[in-house]
Amino acid sequence: MIEKLIKEGIKKDLKLEVLKSTSKSIYLKSFNQRIEKLEISESEYYKIKSVYKGKNLNLYTSNLNNPSDIISALIKDSLLSDNKEKTTFAKQFKIESKKLKNLNINLDEIKEFLKGLNNLKKEYPFLDTVIGSFSYFQNTKEITNKDTFLKDNNEFINVGVELTIKEDKKTETAYVDVFSKDFDKIKIMQKIKAKIESTYDKLNFQTPNNMKVKVLLTNEVMSGIFDNFIDVFFAKNIRLKQSVMVGKLNKKIFSNKITIVEDPANTNMVTSNLFDGEGTQTYYKEIVKEGVFKTILYDNKEAIIAKTKSTGNSNLIKNCYLKPGKMSFNELIKKVKDGIIVDRVDGLHVGTRTLTGDIALQCQGYIVKNGKKDKAIKMFVMTTNIFELLGNVIAVGNDLENFGLSVMFPSILVENINISGE
Amino acid sequence: MNEELAEHLINYSLTTGADFSEIFYENFQNRSITFLNNKIDKVNTSYAEGVGIRLALKDNILYADTNTITKENLTKIITKLKDNFNSKPKLENVVLKSAGKKRQYTDMTDKDKKEFLETINKIAREYDKRVIEVKIVFDILKKEIIIANSLGKYITEDRNYTGVRISITVSENDKVEKSSEMYRFFDDTSFIKKIDLETEIKKIVDSAINKLKAVYIKGGKMPVILESGFGAVIFHEACGHAMEATAVAKNLSVLNGKLGKKIASKKVTIIDDGTIPNLWGTTTYDDEGNKTRKNILIKNGILKSYLVDYLNDRQMKHGLTGSSRRQNFRFAPTSRMNNTYLAPGTDKIADMFKNIKYGLYAKKLGGGSVDTATGDFNFLVEEGYLIKNGKIATPVKMASLIGNTLEILSNVEMVSDDLKYSSGGCGSESGWVPVTIGQPTVKISSILVGGASND
């Protein structure tokens, strides 16, 4: 079908490239002791990139059954579009094909695991509700044009658990999200238990006063915050002055403890991408090195405008992380001495602004007194800025782990951060 | 998906032992035109077609979705699901009864679309030289929906949506700020002629320019006045989600067991109405094929109703509210809001400012989130001003409001009569759905505002 479309395009003077995405997934959800839902999904989706009379066009479709309709729609869009910027098409390069495990998902084993989560109530009688979910995803991407065929694939597992804790008419909730290559039940259970224990503490929380304070932000919290700022490093946002990083290339923007890298093709990670959405080969790069902004992320269009090369970041940021330090989380707590821990933030999608770098987030955590975890705190707001947050870093933890598939941060200790409460 | 195939699949799906089955077919076409950097930068056309199959046996749900829509593939998927129910097949033969009608559709010409976008750009740039970028995303979405189920429904509905999002960036003395506004309707493109472009664009530019001068507010508990319109997101998030059967049926809502009880100030009447013509959250049918309707959720402070879908109602025995929704065929539907608004009151806006020594005027909220089990919520104030000695003063930045559902409902002190609607996108278990929120200007006696530790 793809070849037929490309040939039809050539007849009408359209240069075409097709990105085909195929995915399969299985999803199981439990509610307390029973399996509530099973979902299976299979899909194919095509992105068709085209140049017609110098105009750049994109069309998205779930099937290629009618090539002539697709070509007519592209020609119609070309009459409206003013986009005549130069573009390039994917070029062939050698790909070492990834071996997928083709995980043989044993649904019965997974159902038993999910139902078994309810047994945690014996160990933790204050645990009111446990909602568990298991997802398995497999996807394949293929880019085809007149001269090129590139193929890459991924598979991974995601286990999510929602916990509700109740005692004395007080309620708290928590979420655990694990992304992995394998179904490691022991590791998942350890994470769930740790989360139950920290959430239980929050039932008897205090609200702190307004103050400037030393803050230890957990790896989960920092991964979430940084994920919302990753767009600031993209060339288009910088060129159009929609990023706080305008004019900051090669300047010191963060503490020298901050080195942020992107390693998209690393197949040891949970998922990896050997090429980006335009078929450009991906590679390891330092975005920020010892606090200095070193690399703007380019796709082909932006690279042509800036007269440079694409960095393989067309619609892609993968395995981007802050280089970890040497201190464990407990060592970081000792180093806080007097301050707070923030182990949960809410409202990330509205409380972070890529245009100004501003951050205002609802927080939960603990007071730290004399280097030890003290009372639980919540219902307060941390108000800061990305430059202040990553500029005031005193120490970086060694606890890098996957809370998503794009961005990872270890825990960091930061001084002089504003919080408002009572 | 013709009626004959739907009927065959429904009857075949009942051989699995399911006591409910549903086929949801969707065909959509979206054209998204992006105006940026003084020109039409992108024209993206998308087509998608797919089917979602939902089977239930008591409270056990199976769902499958595919975009390979052949009788063979859909039958194969149902067969694959079969092993998960250990129940005897239902023998009854379901006969479908069709309802629904086609909607007329009028599209603007491409020439008119281009002129419309260029006019917005021109007005903004001519109004103030500090405007450095005007981005407009013009979305035209046409959906054809078919819902067939074992209750005998075969419902068809055309859903047409038109949306315009305008974002304007301004700059002065190396400072950059941006404000945005959305104009979205459940209708064809003819609706955009009703936007007063001149007034609306000037409002967006003024808002961005005011933000250039914004400072942090001193954080703490204080009275807050929410301007009419998008301020209603606080009621959508803080109490609307807690009324959805998704949370209530599992005893995961802070409003569980409170039906018929006083949960809010007597000034509070909250309504969810999926029938208001042309609003962004309107549809004729919900995604289970039931007619949408007007649901009074809170009346004068008393909780009157939850929002309930078919499968959750089997447990709750509440009665359906026409509120079952989903993003697309990839999602099983569940209870969601449509157009949710706080009913107008009689208080005067001028009276709201009296006696406020130090407070916050939230002209526009930027969105937020809520934990339905605890009722804890947070919202960012997109455009806000300090209130000092009863008067609007300095613009403030990054002020966030945090609190608890039951606390804020009780703290509604005054409600004016200037009801305004705003469109939005709402994300939850069944994906993103278009919603409208509405509210007159409201005074809340006390709420925690996050800001700086000092003035």
Side-chain angles (χ1 to χ4, degrees), chain B residues 81-101:
Chain B
L81 294 174
K82 201 170 181 173
D83 292 343
N84 291 280
F85 287 150
N86 296 317
S87 178
K88 284 185 182 172
K90 289 244 172 191
L91 295 174
E92 67 184 73
N93 187 41
V94 174
V95 179
L96 300 181
K97 191 179 167 197
S98 64
K101 58 179 180 186

Side-chain angles (χ1 to χ4, degrees), chain A residues 33-256:
Chain A
Q33 73 280 9
R34 68 180 173 83
I35 297 296
E36 179 183 72
K37 199 187 264 184
L38 164 69
E39 293 184 8
I40 51 175
S41 176
E42 51 175 44
S43 71
E44 273 182 15
Y45 213 57
Y46 301 85
K47 178 188 174 189
I48 297 152
K49 176 177 168 176
S50 168
V51 175
Y52 178 68
K53 294 191 173 170
K55 304 260 184 93
N56 297 316
L57 307 154
N58 287 312
L59 185 143
Y60 303 81
T61 179
S62 58
N63 68 63
L64 300 178
N65 296 342
N66 299 305
S68 54
D69 289 354
I70 290 169
I71 285 164
S72 301
L74 284 165
I75 291 171
K76 186 183 173 205
D77 286 351
S78 75
L79 300 173
L80 183 58
S81 176
D82 295 322
N83 188 329
K84 282 190 161 184
E85 281 147 4
K86 281 187 182 170
T87 190
T88 57
F89 282 71
K91 292 186 179 70
Q92 193 68 47
F93 66 92
K94 197 181 170 197
I95 289 184
E96 296 246 348
S97 67
K98 277 190 239 166
K99 281 182 188 153
L100 291 185
K101 288 183 178 176
N102 266 319
L103 290 175
N104 189 13
I105 302 299
N106 182 337
L107 282 182
D108 289 334
E109 182 196 351
I110 291 153
K111 282 179 184 173
E112 284 313 306
F113 170 78
L114 292 174
K115 286 196 281 188
L117 292 173
N118 198 52
N119 293 333
L120 285 163
K121 289 178 182 173
K122 289 177 194 158
E123 197 174 337
Y124 302 104
F126 47 81
L127 189 57
D128 183 72
T129 310
V130 188
I131 300 174
S133 68
F134 169 93
S135 307
Y136 166 74
F137 297 95
Q138 190 184 92
N139 59 62
T140 304
K141 287 196 188 307
E142 295 168 11
I143 293 188
T144 311
N145 64 37
K146 194 165 65 67
D147 309 308
T148 307
F149 177 73
L150 301 170
K151 184 177 179 180
D152 192 10
N153 46 30
N154 273 301
E155 65 179 344
F156 65 94
I157 281 168
N158 172 233
V159 174
V161 183
E162 292 176 48
L163 305 156
T164 309
I165 284 168
K166 286 187 181 174
E167 193 174 80
D168 298 335
K169 292 188 179 174
K170 293 176 192 163
T171 304
E172 287 298 334
T173 60
Y175 306 91
V176 178
D177 227 356
V178 181
F179 291 86
S180 57
K181 285 185 175 213
D182 300 302
F183 184 43
D184 185 345
K185 286 186 267 190
I186 295 168
K187 195 176 160 195
I188 294 165
M189 201 53 98
Q190 280 170 351
K191 277 176 167 280
I192 296 169
K193 287 185 175 184
K195 189 67 94 171
I196 292 171
E197 284 159 20
S198 68
T199 307
Y200 178 71
D201 293 342
K202 307 284 169 51
L203 285 171
N204 295 302
F205 72 90
Q206 291 180 346
T207 299
N209 294 324
N210 291 1
M211 56 182 162
K212 284 223 169 194
V213 70
K214 230 185 261 177
V215 182
L216 171 57
L217 297 114
T218 62
N219 50 4
E220 186 175 1
V221 165
M222 274 314 302
S223 297
I225 293 175
F226 195 67
D227 196 20
N228 279 272
F229 276 105
I230 200 68
D231 283 355
V232 300
F233 299 110
F234 279 86
K236 185 171 185 179
N237 293 328
I238 294 172
R239 177 173 63 87
L240 296 173
K241 296 189 169 65
Q242 299 297 308
S243 159
V244 73
M245 293 300 165
V246 174
K248 299 240 176 347
L249 187 66
N250 292 321
K251 290 190 179 155
K252 184 107 180 351
I253 53 168
F254 302 142
S255 150
N256 56 12

Side-chain angles (χ1 to χ4, degrees), chain A residues 29 31 34-45 56-63 65 69-70 73 76-85 107 111 128-129 131 162 164 166 171-175 207 210-212 236 239-242 301 344 346-353 355-356 358-364 378-385 418-422, chain B residues 28 31 33 35-50 59-68 73 76-77 80-81 84 107 110-111 113-114 118 132-133 169 176-178 211 216 218-221 249-252 315 330-332 366-369 371 373-374 376-380 382 397-400 402-404 407 429 448-454:
Chain A
K29 186 179 177 190
F31 178 66
R34 68 180 173 83
I35 297 296
E36 179 183 72
K37 199 187 264 184
L38 164 69
E39 293 184 8
I40 51 175
S41 176
E42 51 175 44
S43 71
E44 273 182 15
Y45 213 57
N56 297 316
L57 307 154
N58 287 312
L59 185 143
Y60 303 81
T61 179
S62 58
N63 68 63
N65 296 342
D69 289 354
I70 290 169
K76 186 183 173 205
D77 286 351
S78 75
L79 300 173
L80 183 58
S81 176
D82 295 322
N83 188 329
K84 282 190 161 184
E85 281 147 4
L107 282 182
K111 282 179 184 173
D128 183 72
T129 310
I131 300 174
E162 292 176 48
T164 309
K166 286 187 181 174
T171 304
E172 287 298 334
T173 60
Y175 306 91
T207 299
N210 291 1
M211 56 182 162
K212 284 223 169 194
K236 185 171 185 179
R239 177 173 63 87
L240 296 173
K241 296 189 169 65
Q242 299 297 308
K301 174 183 161 182
R344 174 171 165 176
D346 287 286
L348 274 166
H349 63 299
V350 292
T352 50
R353 291 192 77 206
L355 185 66
T356 60
D358 289 327
I359 298 167
L361 296 165
Q362 181 186 358
C363 301
Q364 297 186 14
K378 64 178 263 194
M379 299 305 271
F380 64 98
V381 178
M382 175 176 72
T383 309
T384 180
N385 182 283
N418 185 82
I419 60 164
S420 19
E422 291 287 5
Chain B
F28 83 77
R31 200 153 181 242
I33 305 161
F35 188 95
L36 183 72
N37 208 5
N38 292 306
K39 64 177 192 295
I40 293 183
D41 185 58
K42 254 191 238 170
V43 183
N44 286 343
T45 299
S46 312
Y47 302 103
E49 192 181 24
D59 50 11
N60 192 354
I61 301 165
L62 306 177
Y63 194 79
D65 69 79
T66 179
N67 51 17
T68 307
N73 188 48
K76 195 176 90 188
I77 289 171
K80 212 163 153 183
L81 294 174
N84 291 280
D107 196 3
D110 280 359
K111 188 172 164 258
K113 285 172 193 147
K114 191 168 189 167
E118 285 169 347
I132 58 165
E133 188 56 272
T169 310
V176 183
E177 267 301 346
K178 182 163 77 172
K211 285 184 193 169
Y216 288 116
K218 184 188 169 190
K221 285 200 168 179
K250 290 191 169 74
N251 198 21
L252 289 174
Q315 185 191 332
R330 298 211 179 282
F331 295 83
S369 63
D371 183 330
T374 61
D376 295 343
F377 64 75
N378 66 85
F379 295 91
L380 189 78
E382 171 79 23
K397 67 172 179 176
M398 295 306 281
S400 52
I402 66 173
N404 187 276
E407 182 192 334
E429 191 169 312
L448 179 61
V449 179
S453 47
N454 294 299

Side-chain angles (χ1 to χ4, degrees), chain A residues 277-404:
Chain A
E278 294 172 322
T280 305
Q281 189 167 11
T282 57
Y283 59 92
Y284 176 94
K285 60 187 81 75
E286 285 172 333
I287 300 171
V288 176
K289 188 178 183 184
E290 292 168 1
V292 178
F293 178 22
K294 298 299 280 184
T295 310
I296 293 177
L297 305 176
Y298 288 99
D299 60 12
N300 275 328
K301 174 183 161 182
E302 292 300 322
I304 289 168
I305 293 169
K307 295 184 179 153
T308 185
K309 283 185 177 170
S310 167
T311 55
N313 290 101
S314 172
N315 295 320
L316 179 77
I317 184 90
K318 177 69 77 176
N319 302 329
C320 175
Y321 60 90
L322 171 68
K323 275 197 171 175
K326 289 183 178 159
M327 294 178 88
S328 69
F329 191 70
N330 284 333
E331 286 168 334
L332 287 171
I333 296 176
K334 278 185 198 155
K335 199 171 167 66
V336 175
K337 209 173 167 201
D338 290 306
I340 64 165
I341 296 169
V342 170
D343 62 6
R344 174 171 165 176
V345 289
D346 287 286
L348 274 166
H349 63 299
V350 292
T352 50
R353 291 192 77 206
T354 52
L355 185 66
T356 60
D358 289 327
I359 298 167
L361 296 165
Q362 181 186 358
C363 301
Q364 297 186 14
Y366 291 91
I367 297 275
V368 178
K369 261 188 191 168
N370 293 321
K372 284 184 182 163
K373 222 192 255 193
D374 198 63
K375 289 188 172 133
I377 46 174
K378 64 178 263 194
M379 299 305 271
F380 64 98
V381 178
M382 175 176 72
T383 309
T384 180
N385 182 283
I386 193 68
F387 297 120
E388 181 182 73
L389 188 72
L390 296 182
N392 294 4
V393 172
I394 308 168
V396 177
N398 63 4
D399 52 352
L400 191 66
E401 62 177 297
N402 273 91
F403 292 98

Side-chain angles (χ1 to χ4, degrees), chain B residues 68-81:
Chain B
T68 307
I69 310 169
T70 59
K71 186 177 177 182
E72 293 70 31
N73 188 48
L74 297 170
T75 306
K76 195 176 90 188
I77 289 171
I78 293 169
T79 308
K80 212 163 153 183
L81 294 174

